[in-house]
Amino acid sequence: MINILIFVVLVVVIIVAEKFRRSFTSLLFKSSSLSTIKRAEKSISKVVSSDAKFLLEDKLPAGLSRENIPKHVAVIMDGNRRWAKKKGLEPMLGHEAGARSLVKLLPLCCNWGIKVLTVYAFSTENWIRPRVEVDFLMKLFEKILKEELEFFMRQEVRVSVIGDSTKLPRSLQKLITTVTETTNRNSSCHLIMAVNYGGRTDIVQACQNISNKVKDGLIKPEDIDESLINHELETKCTEFPYPDLLIRTSGELRLSNFLMWQLAYTELYFDESFWPDFGEKQFVQALHSFQRRQRRFGGQDEDKLVCES
């Protein structure tokens, strides 16, 4: 009797074990299949995203030629306060709107092949503005650098800041160091922010540095040339130190002590829009204007050269 009971128990155990094995095998297969499917979907998603990004980068607005896209665009972002006043808002809101316009411009530069975007954010003369406005601008710079760091990394934007940073708030100085070091290897577009910058001061400091090198016997006076001066200017941080195109908004027709050496042969474009209203449409118009021009750099017209050859 006991032997029969043991036999029955063994049979039941074997049957249960077999069912468990089959269930476990089926579950394992399904899990593996789902995992494989998910990995495949993820891979396909990456390929599609990559292709979509490539197509986006390859597409230019109608009428623009990729061969003639400026490598370096400089912008005097003018009209923030007047934009706010026109709308009955506080001047500070105009500066915030201007910051948003800058952020919106960066992906366009990345996608269209503009390698350097230099913006005049705060001049050496701007310190004479009301203290409350200056303090707000300093905090706004910090806010942009903090909040947009992830965006800079995602868009492969390298960030540099030129100008005398020693007069900026200590917290902003530290943040500038962090952001510039973090984005240093990014290569899609180089954003150069001119903060506490003056074109004349830039040239004076370059001359002082060169004078010290002559004094220390590192170079001779006859060694001084344009190339040496270029290497002492603030824009030495970029591969393309000379802007091809300068855009100034708000209808003002002056350079305001911005990149005085570097703009010698730059094409100038003045737009009536206040900076917060300057968007893709206005940017495309500026690029169309640039591409219709013939840059001679002091030489003759190409057509004339062909006729004379």
Side-chain angles (χ1 to χ4, degrees):
M1 185 69 178
I2 295 175
N3 291 336
I4 295 174
L5 287 174
I6 292 174
F7 177 79
V8 171
V9 169
L10 288 173
V11 171
V12 171
V13 168
I14 291 171
I15 293 172
V16 170
E18 179 63 15
K19 286 185 178 181
F20 176 82
R21 185 189 65 79
R22 289 180 180 179
S23 299
F24 179 79
T25 302
S26 176
L27 181 62
L28 187 63
F29 175 79
K30 288 179 180 179
S31 177
S32 176
S33 299
L34 287 172
S35 178
T36 303
I37 291 170
K38 286 180 179 180
R39 286 199 299 271
E41 288 176 345
K42 191 173 181 180
S43 299
I44 293 169
S45 177
K46 284 183 178 179
V47 172
V48 171
S49 297
S50 177
D51 288 344
K53 184 179 179 182
F54 173 78
L55 290 173
L56 180 62
E57 290 177 347
D58 195 53
K59 187 176 181 181
L60 280 174
L64 289 180
S65 165
R66 183 166 295 280
E67 290 73 21
N68 295 321
I69 286 291
K71 286 184 171 61
H72 186 166
V73 174
V75 181
I76 300 178
M77 306 180 293
D78 200 13
N80 291 339
R81 294 188 298 177
R82 278 170 284 165
W83 178 87
K85 183 178 180 180
K86 184 179 179 181
K87 295 181 176 295
L89 303 172
E90 291 295 323
M92 315 308 175
L93 296 178
H95 292 308
E96 284 191 338
R100 289 194 294 271
S101 290
L102 171 59
V103 173
K104 290 178 182 178
L105 214 62
L106 280 170
L108 301 180
C109 291
C110 294
N111 295 336
W112 297 346
I114 296 169
K115 293 299 182 182
V116 184
L117 177 67
T118 301
V119 295
Y120 207 6
F122 191 86
S123 74
T124 50
E125 293 80 17
N126 287 153
W127 293 106
I128 64 174
R129 291 188 177 185
R131 180 61 183 272
V132 64
E133 182 179 359
V134 171
D135 290 344
F136 178 84
L137 286 170
M138 295 299 123
K139 291 178 181 177
L140 182 60
F141 295 148
E142 286 194 40
K143 180 181 179 183
I144 294 171
L145 292 176
K146 281 181 182 177
E147 294 184 355
E148 303 301 334
L149 180 55
E150 184 180 343
F151 168 79
F152 296 147
M153 297 304 294
R154 187 169 63 251
Q155 291 287 331
E156 280 285 308
V157 173
R158 177 188 172 193
V159 179
S160 294
V161 177
I162 61 174
D164 184 5
S165 61
T166 62
K167 295 183 179 179
L168 303 178
R170 189 65 60 83
S171 57
L172 179 55
Q173 291 182 43
K174 291 181 179 178
L175 187 57
I176 287 173
T177 300
T178 299
V179 173
T180 53
E181 289 179 354
T182 303
T183 63
N184 187 50
R185 294 183 179 275
N186 293 346
S187 58
S188 180
C189 181
H190 191 176
L191 171 63
I192 303 176
M193 300 177 67
V195 183
N196 194 27
Y197 173 88
R200 290 177 178 174
T201 302
D202 195 3
I203 296 172
V204 169
Q205 289 179 344
C207 292
Q208 289 174 340
N209 293 339
I210 292 172
S211 297
N212 288 331
K213 289 182 178 180
V214 172
K215 181 182 176 181
D216 296 337
L218 299 175
I219 58 173
K220 298 177 181 179
E222 54 267 28
D223 295 331
I224 301 173
D225 56 13
E226 287 189 19
S227 177
L228 185 61
I229 295 173
N230 289 336
H231 285 296
E232 295 296 338
L233 294 171
E234 297 260 18
T235 45
K236 63 181 178 291
C237 63
T238 177
E239 181 184 356
F240 307 103
Y242 301 127
D244 301 296
L245 171 65
L246 169 75
I247 300 171
R248 178 162 189 161
T249 56
S250 84
E252 301 293 347
L253 307 177
R254 56 180 178 271
L255 299 181
S256 297
N257 196 24
F258 184 45
L259 300 175
M260 301 303 292
W261 174 279
Q262 296 89 335
L263 294 175
Y265 282 102
T266 299
E267 297 295 325
L268 309 181
Y269 181 84
F270 301 100
D271 193 275
E272 294 293 329
S273 305
F274 294 133
W275 174 245
D277 289 329
F278 190 89
E280 181 175 351
K281 177 183 176 182
Q282 291 78 11
F283 197 18
V284 170
Q285 289 173 346
L287 295 176
H288 274 302
S289 176
F290 173 80
Q291 294 196 347
R292 286 195 297 267
R293 304 180 191 187
Q294 189 175 59
R295 306 185 72 194
R296 294 183 292 275
F297 300 98
Q300 301 182 64
D301 292 344
E302 290 183 4
D303 294 339
K304 195 171 184 180
L305 287 172
V306 171
C307 291
E308 292 178 353
S309 61

